Amino acid sequence: MSGIALVRKPGPRIAEGIVTNIRREPVDAALAADQHDAYVAALEANGWRPVHVEAADELPDAPFVEDTVVACAGLAVLTRPGAPERRPEVGSVAALVRELGVRSVRVTAPGTLDGGDVLQVGGTVYVGRSARTNDEGIGQLAALLPERRVVPVELRGVLHLKSAVTALPDGTLIGDPARVDLPGLLEPVEEAGAHVVLLGGERILMAASAPQTAAMLETRGFIVTMVDISEFEKLEGCVTCLSVLII
């Protein structure tokens, strides 16, 4: 078993989730629930033990659990989401983290930080300066992670840093240079190809909407598991958004 995967089931109001940079489309709540089950099953099949955060059906964006906590070397940094309507999501995540015995700290006002803006690559933590994450939040994160090098990153036209770039198991950054200025980016074929979840070893999780990028990465020696998350993509979600992996 690789570790714990924090997840939260989508509720019946998921179609009301916040949309910022794309046109709103109808979301099928039942299909989203099925897709979430398949996503969780894929994590479990790759050795991660799913642990479900308490349901929050009144909070449409609650399944995007990544934004509520950053897991780093045995520490859980509980965030203060930039969208005020998402801040109630953090309480139940905090309770579960305590139940799991993981040491936790908090980002506090006036800082804002969404976990989707935090990309950890070795000893470096890239943090997107976005509509959801401010300089105070970035500064607090740096203070909470003194052993890491925290690097602010400017974004263009995307919700979160990990909407534009993630990292492969070998540390290579894969992302869209039109959205983010980081050196040495490997460009994906599809936009969704910029989103990978590291499952351990050479294994990665990707969205079914990026088949050509998946094929490209397989030629580089990575083992790709693909999942259909189309209903979450309609809400600017990606494969990283739906879980927090704790080793």
Side-chain angles (χ1 to χ4, degrees):
M1 190 66 67
S2 300
I4 291 170
L6 296 187
V7 294
R8 173 148 47 191
K9 289 181 179 293
R13 294 181 57 190
I14 185 172
E16 301 171 36
I18 303 169
V19 173
T20 304
N21 294 288
I22 61 175
R23 180 175 57 84
R24 183 175 292 279
E25 297 182 59
V27 174
D28 184 328
L31 178 55
D34 289 343
Q35 290 179 349
H36 192 269
D37 287 345
Y39 175 93
V40 173
L43 294 177
E44 192 166 20
N46 279 279
W48 294 87
R49 177 168 69 90
V51 176
H52 284 81
V53 184
E54 181 182 3
D57 288 354
E58 74 284 5
L59 301 172
D61 287 293
F64 300 121
V65 67
E66 176 188 46
D67 290 322
T68 62
V69 60
V70 175
C72 183
L75 180 69
V77 180
L78 298 164
T79 70
R80 184 169 181 265
E85 58 267 50
R86 295 201 60 192
R87 291 174 193 161
E89 298 173 26
V90 179
S92 52
V93 173
L96 181 56
V97 165
R98 286 195 300 271
E99 184 180 317
L100 293 171
V102 180
R103 186 168 70 91
S104 64
V105 292
R106 280 184 178 269
V107 172
T108 58
T112 61
L113 181 77
D114 273 20
D117 278 320
V118 181
L119 174 61
Q120 302 179 55
V121 186
T124 299
V125 181
Y126 297 101
V127 188
R129 184 182 282 117
S130 70
R132 304 288 181 87
T133 295
N134 63 17
D135 285 333
E136 173 67 21
I138 296 172
Q140 288 187 35
L141 184 66
L144 293 168
L145 304 175
E147 74 287 357
R148 301 294 181 100
R149 182 174 70 103
V150 174
V151 179
V153 180
E154 300 294 337
L155 308 179
R156 292 183 292 274
V158 288
L159 180 62
H160 290 129
L161 176 62
K162 282 193 278 190
S163 303
V165 59
T166 55
L168 296 169
D170 62 4
T172 299
L173 298 180
I174 182 167
D176 183 354
R179 304 293 191 184
V180 61
D181 291 322
L182 286 171
L185 281 182
L186 174 65
E187 292 190 44
V189 183
E190 304 95 347
E191 181 181 353
H195 316 138
V196 304
V197 175
L198 304 184
L199 298 172
E202 301 304 301
R203 293 171 293 131
I204 58 177
L205 184 71
M206 296 184 67
S209 53
Q212 294 181 71
T213 305
M216 176 183 75
L217 295 179
E218 286 176 337
T219 67
R220 296 172 71 99
F222 299 113
I223 302 166
V224 181
T225 296
M226 303 193 76
V227 289
D228 185 356
I229 57 164
S230 62
E231 300 311 291
F232 300 96
E233 289 172 328
K234 294 174 183 177
L235 297 165
E236 294 179 279
C238 58
V239 285
T240 67
C241 304
L242 295 171
S243 61
V244 176
L245 303 186
I246 301 175
I247 299 174

